[in-house]
Amino acid sequence: MSTPGRGPAGSDGGDTAAGTGIRLHAPAPGWSLDADVVVVGSGVAGLTAALRCAAAGRRTVVVTKARLDDGSTRWAQGGIAAALGDGDTPEQHLDDTLVAGAGLCDEEAVRLLVTEGPDAVRRLMATGAVFDTSAETGEIELTREGGHHRRRIAHAGGDATGAEISRALVEAVQDAGIETVENALVLDLLHDAQGRTAGVTLHVMGEGQHDGVGAVHAPAVILATGGMGQVFSATTNPSVSTGDGVALALRAGAEVSDLEFVQFHPTVLFLGPDAEGQQPLVSEAVRGEGAHLVDADGVRFMVGQHELAELAPRDIVAKGIMRRMQEQGAQHMYLDARHFGAEMWEQRFPTILAACRSHGIDPVTEPIPVAPAAHYASGGVRTDLHGRTTVRGLYACGEVACTGVHGANRLASNSLLEGLVFAERIADDIAAQRFGGNGPVVPVPATGPLQPAAARHEVQRIMTEGAGVLRSAASLATAAEALEALYATALNDLETHGKTAEPGVDTWEATNLLCVARVLVAAAQRREETRGCHWREDHPDRDDAHWRRHLVVRLSATEKRALVVVPTDSADFPSVHPLSTPSLEQ
């Protein structure tokens, strides 16, 4: 159990220091690189951390699963939130964030976010990111999104903010000459004899300077791997978002928190009941500019459900849509923005307009069919205020991390800001460390079973049916039983027959997805209440007396790889274990 404040969460540090002993089955590394810092991921968090580490004189290598410019950041449509406008203050931004987080935000982390955020955005602009400005004043044009009481969302290219931020950061990384390894799936963390981080193993897919399984040796590893939306059948996340960072951290002995809080974006373009994979997002900014949610009869059903109606926090809007769908036996609702007119659609939302039209829907003349889909993980690898995890030398930032900022539900457009602010804090912490040479890596044999590639679709089906927007004890129990059956079958084949699926990208991703799915369902079963984006039909009310607290999960190094789920004693966000303070000296 935790102590008040950012104190320990119940781990005695034993498993944390030594890791779990679980590794993915993979060939031995055939090549290696040496660095001071390896950054895994090329979104706003990863590239910001890399630029700042390199500027501090640290040998930095960026590893990314796709191309350098293909991180999750580029898909962000809405924008980045910060108190940049007249009359707005960090305190007001803090208040909106705390309300959205439904009682589980760490106020200290949020205060850091909102106070350091405006200058971090200005530094991003100095790096080369260009935001839309007013033709009259030349100032940044700010908009509103759900949960915000002020216009504080900076955007670029109308609805292409992420793409512009990605462009600017990629160009800066290339100009700085930072070494990058593209098309590389990270596999596992490396440790030295003292249990400190010593780098990562990875598999490079396709052509390039490196090929196959290799290693990057470094005393500091920054996980910025993005989300895990592919654990569900329909998501706004790209196909590479398979929870690799969370799974790696768990195998390494790190702790995760709040993984039950998966945000389902309320307005995703509905492509049919059998649609799978990445679905087109209809940004919250569309509602921020005055679009209305309506049912098939044109009734604005969010009016009266919340003071902000369609601009209520995302969990409330998603629940409102699902309730109306249940009441009417409908598969989707509609977003009506016909009153925008063609010119506004073409100038403000060109990306969304093109996506809709490509699927035969013209928002200028007809309402857009929408339904919730998996969008963002509010939880993740838990960190302190400097991005340090419970494994020495391992950091996390962006969606893969749980900093305490989002609580039970992320406020719209806080994600890019969180990645930016905490990436800078991580880099500053690493810059303050003294570096020596990399210590020898202690080899750890692979002991965890690999899932067959087909398990990916089975996990997605199980999670969508049992742990989606609507959850209950019965649905979660069914999901847990099915997930455990997948795991037990593979474990039995390995331990009894010495067999496991053939190592490869498909089987590694399926194994990672099963890992994060098991954790998510275990936490969702334990949390017997409805809070934020965790909705239990059998426990429809928020229960502060029993559940205004966090759930911390780790993998046990014993007990057949069991999950250890520990609730904290209070709502105070648990910090990393004090014995895990990283030392990068060798």
Side-chain angles (χ1 to χ4, degrees):
M1 297 293 185
S2 72
T3 54
R6 296 181 70 95
S11 169
D12 61 8
D15 286 347
T16 299
T20 63
I22 305 172
R23 293 291 184 274
L24 293 174
H25 283 265
W31 56 270
S32 66
L33 299 172
D34 289 325
D36 294 325
V37 184
V38 56
V39 179
V40 187
S42 60
V44 63
L47 296 187
T48 298
L51 285 166
R52 205 167 175 97
C53 285
R58 304 308 188 198
R59 294 175 299 162
T60 304
V61 173
V62 174
V63 173
T64 184
K65 195 172 179 181
R67 301 286 296 177
L68 192 62
D69 62 353
D70 202 25
S72 294
T73 291
R74 68 183 289 256
W75 298 100
Q77 293 177 348
I80 184 167
L84 297 166
D86 291 341
D88 197 6
T89 64
E91 197 69 25
Q92 293 177 67
H93 190 181
L94 180 142
D95 289 343
D96 285 345
T97 301
L98 295 179
V99 169
L104 284 186
C105 294
D106 177 67
E107 187 167 342
E108 186 179 4
V110 178
R111 193 170 296 280
L112 284 173
L113 178 82
V114 300
T115 55
E116 296 181 8
D119 283 343
V121 172
R122 294 182 184 102
R123 284 189 289 273
L124 179 62
M125 294 168 64
T127 302
V130 179
F131 293 100
D132 294 344
T133 57
S134 168
E136 291 78 22
T137 66
E139 299 293 322
I140 294 178
E141 198 167 44
L142 300 172
T143 62
R144 275 186 69 193
E145 291 185 5
H148 293 272
H149 284 78
R150 288 273 187 178
R151 298 178 75 88
R152 65 168 66 97
I153 316 301
H155 54 85
D159 57 0
T161 309
E164 170 58 19
I165 291 173
S166 179
R167 178 205 62 76
L169 291 174
V170 167
E171 288 185 5
V173 165
Q174 292 171 336
D175 290 345
I178 296 174
E179 185 168 5
T180 61
V181 182
E182 296 180 307
N183 301 308
L185 170 63
V186 67
L187 300 176
D188 279 303
L189 194 72
L190 297 171
H191 295 273
D192 66 13
Q194 286 71 46
R196 293 190 298 250
T197 292
V200 293
T201 55
L202 61 156
H203 174 78
V204 177
M205 305 165 276
E207 299 179 359
Q209 183 178 355
H210 308 288
D211 191 27
V213 175
V216 181
H217 298 129
V221 172
I222 302 173
L223 292 179
T225 52
M228 56 182 194
Q230 290 292 326
V231 78
F232 295 96
S233 296
T235 176
T236 62
N237 291 188
S239 62
V240 295
S241 296
T242 50
D244 307 318
V246 171
L248 174 149
L250 282 164
R251 289 193 295 269
E255 296 177 347
V256 303
S257 186
D258 300 350
L259 219 61
E260 67 271 32
F261 296 116
V262 176
Q263 187 177 82
F264 286 76
H265 198 288
T267 54
V268 175
L269 184 62
F270 181 75
L271 300 180
D274 299 322
E276 295 183 345
Q278 186 177 11
Q279 310 291 301
L281 175 67
V282 182
S283 170
E284 193 134 2
V286 178
R287 280 175 282 138
E289 295 292 354
H292 302 144
L293 279 167
V294 298
D295 60 20
D297 297 322
V299 176
R300 287 183 62 190
F301 54 88
M302 285 303 300
V303 174
Q305 292 198 35
H306 189 275
E307 61 168 331
L308 297 176
E310 287 92 352
L311 285 177
R314 288 177 177 174
D315 64 307
I316 294 172
V317 179
K319 291 170 188 174
I321 292 173
M322 292 300 297
R323 287 194 186 99
R324 197 65 158 193
M325 287 166 55
Q326 286 181 322
E327 292 169 1
Q328 299 188 341
Q331 295 180 326
H332 61 82
M333 290 288 109
Y334 293 93
L335 189 64
D336 192 351
R338 290 175 290 180
H339 55 284
F340 285 5
E343 183 178 356
M344 181 174 175
W345 268 111
E346 291 165 0
Q347 293 182 1
R348 180 69 178 86
F349 301 111
T351 306
I352 299 171
L353 178 63
C356 289
R357 285 177 170 171
S358 71
H359 291 284
I361 299 156
D362 188 351
V364 177
T365 61
E366 60 186 317
I368 306 168
V370 293
H375 182 57
Y376 190 89
S378 293
V381 185
R382 70 184 190 92
T383 74
D384 66 7
L385 299 177
H386 298 282
R388 296 178 291 212
T389 75
T390 49
V391 173
R392 289 172 289 176
L394 179 65
Y395 296 79
C397 56
E399 190 173 355
V400 71
C402 185
T403 63
V405 160
H406 302 310
N409 183 48
R410 173 179 67 93
L411 182 65
S413 288
N414 267 359
S415 51
L416 292 175
L417 190 71
E418 184 202 28
L420 192 64
V421 167
F422 283 87
E424 291 187 345
R425 296 183 67 81
I426 287 173
D428 291 347
D429 190 71
I430 290 174
Q433 305 290 336
R434 290 179 293 173
F435 278 64
N438 292 330
V441 173
V442 176
V444 177
T447 56
L450 290 180
Q451 292 294 316
R456 175 176 183 141
H457 295 290
E458 186 64 10
V459 168
Q460 291 172 335
R461 182 193 64 78
I462 292 167
M463 294 298 289
T464 299
E465 292 178 359
V469 179
L470 303 178
R471 302 168 179 174
S472 67
S475 75
L476 290 167
T478 299
E481 182 179 0
L483 294 173
E484 290 306 314
L486 287 176
Y487 184 75
T489 297
L491 184 63
N492 181 68
D493 286 346
L494 178 64
E495 294 184 342
T496 304
H497 307 293
K499 297 179 180 179
T500 191
E502 188 70 22
V505 173
D506 290 345
T507 57
W508 290 323
E509 287 186 332
T511 302
N512 287 339
L513 283 171
L514 178 61
C515 177
V516 297
R518 291 176 67 219
V519 174
L520 193 161
V521 169
Q525 283 184 293
R526 191 71 173 267
R527 183 173 292 280
E528 295 180 330
E529 66 160 354
T530 290
R531 180 186 298 271
C533 49
H534 172 67
W535 187 7
R536 286 283 298 263
E537 292 181 284
D538 52 335
H539 296 280
D541 299 319
R542 173 169 155 175
D543 183 359
D544 281 350
H546 297 97
W547 285 109
R548 192 166 176 238
R549 62 192 66 215
H550 302 269
L551 291 171
V552 177
V553 185
R554 58 187 173 90
L555 289 181
S556 173
T558 58
E559 303 177 26
K560 295 290 185 183
R561 317 308 183 213
L563 298 176
V564 180
V565 185
V566 181
T568 61
D569 285 338
S570 71
D572 297 311
F573 191 72
S575 76
V576 301
H577 195 282
L579 295 179
S580 300
T581 300
S583 170
L584 302 182
E585 296 180 71
Q586 302 293 334

